[in-house]
Amino acid sequence: MRMHVEKFQTELTASDIFQRLAGEPDLAFLDSNSGYGPLGRWSILACRPWQRLRGWTDHCLLDGHSIAGDPFSLLQKLLSEQQVAPRSDLPLAGGCIGLISYDAGFALNDLPLPLRVDYSRPFVRFDFYDNFIIIDHQLDQTWLMACGQLEPAHQSIERLITVLSEPLHAQENKKHLADSNSGRGSLLHIPPRLPYLAKVEQLRDWIRLGEVYIANLTSRFKAVSPRDSIELYRHFRSINPAPFAALIRQDDLDILSASPERFLSVRPTPVGSWRVETRPIKGTRPRNADPDQDKANRIELENSGK
């Protein structure tokens, strides 16, 4: 597969471009807010998927057609079939964007699925997109991409340029920007405090016994909001800018996410190996070029009650 790539001269920010594409029903926005240096160098928007993968533990739906087998094997096959030449100056050259649910990890490790698992929703969701927009915050450059699956690539690029060149006021009456779609939401479910604290004590016991090394004890909150996902995300990123944020709209599910942490980055190296990077924040202290300060940071971390 060949990607058609053009540099786009514009003064639009990533936020401006996101606002102009907000009417796309299947939009992915990998959002790196400025101010984070190399960590926040790239923002990526994708729209107009031409292939959709939805997977459970033992079967998948590819564009609605059922296929036996696990979704990860099928995803690997699709990526191999649709391989494009990488570009050294850009973080990607086509491909897919999606999500893997937490519960998919049980299946990957041959563990029984918890009773709470909702089988009505896929564990794995990936969309292959016809259009990508890559924004380089460091060099202040914007690139447009098209793979030509839904229409000829040059027409797809022209369509993008037309949308991005539209005056913003021409879109202000669209539903996703309506002033009436605002207001405060309300919580429908808050996890009870005492059972949560009991789980904390149980985890501490397991740590003392050596059964648990690290755990991420989370709670699920439920809320309702009068805002749609676009408006909610615009507000979300204004109060919580982060280097690893995202809005992914797929079918009947919209994912809004923002994190200061990188879970995993896996990239090939020029010598044929792989570079794997993780950047956690919880339970860490920054390294320092001054050995004395570096040692002081380590001692502070070791003596932290948390």
Side-chain angles (χ1 to χ4, degrees):
M1 183 183 296
R2 293 192 59 183
M3 293 296 296
H4 185 75
V5 183
E6 287 188 17
K7 184 181 288 188
F8 179 55
Q9 299 296 332
T10 182
E11 295 183 357
L12 295 176
T13 65
S15 180
D16 295 333
I17 294 174
F18 166 62
Q19 197 158 320
R20 280 164 173 78
L21 292 178
E24 293 285 346
D26 298 291
L27 176 68
F29 183 21
L30 306 184
D31 181 18
S32 294
N33 282 262
S34 59
Y36 291 94
L39 289 183
R41 178 175 178 178
W42 304 99
S43 286
I44 300 170
L45 294 100
C47 60
R48 306 183 73 212
W50 61 271
Q51 192 169 54
R52 294 175 172 88
L53 169 64
R54 304 292 181 263
W56 287 261
T57 55
D58 58 354
H59 73 285
C60 310
L61 292 177
L62 184 62
D63 293 331
H65 301 288
S66 183
I67 299 175
D70 72 276
F72 301 102
S73 298
L74 180 56
L75 178 61
Q76 188 66 45
K77 179 176 180 290
L78 294 174
L79 290 171
S80 299
E81 292 172 349
Q82 300 156 17
Q83 197 167 27
V84 295
R87 291 179 56 120
S88 59
D89 58 335
L90 296 175
L92 59 75
C96 61
I97 296 174
L99 58 101
I100 300 171
S101 74
Y102 185 86
D103 293 326
F106 290 95
L108 281 172
N109 291 280
D110 296 323
L111 296 172
L113 292 171
L115 295 176
R116 59 169 171 75
V117 170
D118 180 4
Y119 289 91
S120 67
R121 292 192 177 275
F123 294 175
V124 175
R125 295 170 173 257
F126 281 95
D127 285 352
F128 289 81
Y129 295 89
D130 207 44
N131 290 129
F132 290 86
I133 301 174
I134 313 294
I135 301 150
D136 185 342
H137 299 293
Q138 181 174 306
L139 299 180
D140 196 22
Q141 295 178 343
T142 300
W143 300 82
L144 307 181
M145 292 183 180
C147 65
Q149 292 290 328
L150 298 180
E151 62 181 330
H154 71 278
Q155 292 182 16
S156 191
I157 294 289
E158 290 173 1
R159 185 189 60 81
L160 273 182
I161 292 174
T162 299
V163 171
L164 297 181
S165 301
E166 250 187 4
L168 192 57
H169 63 75
Q171 301 187 0
E172 286 179 353
N173 292 325
K174 290 186 178 180
K175 177 180 180 296
H176 62 272
L177 293 179
D179 290 335
S180 60
N181 191 23
S182 60
R184 297 179 64 87
S186 59
L187 283 170
L188 300 179
H189 171 70
I190 301 176
R193 176 177 175 79
L194 292 181
Y196 179 83
L197 293 178
K199 292 178 181 178
V200 171
E201 290 304 319
Q202 185 180 56
L203 273 176
R204 286 175 171 167
D205 289 338
W206 287 343
I207 290 171
R208 295 185 190 102
L209 293 171
E211 296 293 332
V212 173
Y213 167 66
I214 187 170
N216 186 13
L217 183 59
T218 63
S219 296
R220 179 176 295 182
F221 293 76
K222 293 183 180 180
V224 62
S225 172
R227 306 186 185 197
D228 67 14
S229 60
I230 296 291
E231 275 294 303
L232 194 58
Y233 185 73
R234 289 176 62 204
H235 176 68
F236 192 43
R237 76 191 298 271
S238 70
I239 62 174
N240 184 38
F244 306 111
L247 168 69
I248 301 176
R249 309 177 76 184
Q250 293 182 338
D251 307 327
D252 61 341
L253 179 68
D254 293 355
I255 298 291
L256 284 67
S257 174
S259 175
E261 300 179 308
R262 165 176 283 159
F263 179 48
L264 284 177
S265 170
V266 182
R267 293 194 175 277
T269 68
V271 297
S273 59
W274 294 88
R275 185 174 187 267
V276 181
E277 179 187 75
T278 183
R279 286 180 172 270
I281 290 178
K282 296 185 290 290
T284 67
R285 290 292 187 276
R287 300 304 300 266
N288 196 288
D290 180 356
D292 292 335
Q293 183 60 52
D294 201 48
K295 182 178 180 180
N297 289 347
R298 174 179 174 174
I299 293 172
E300 181 188 13
L301 178 60
E302 290 176 341
N303 293 325
S304 169
K306 181 180 178 180

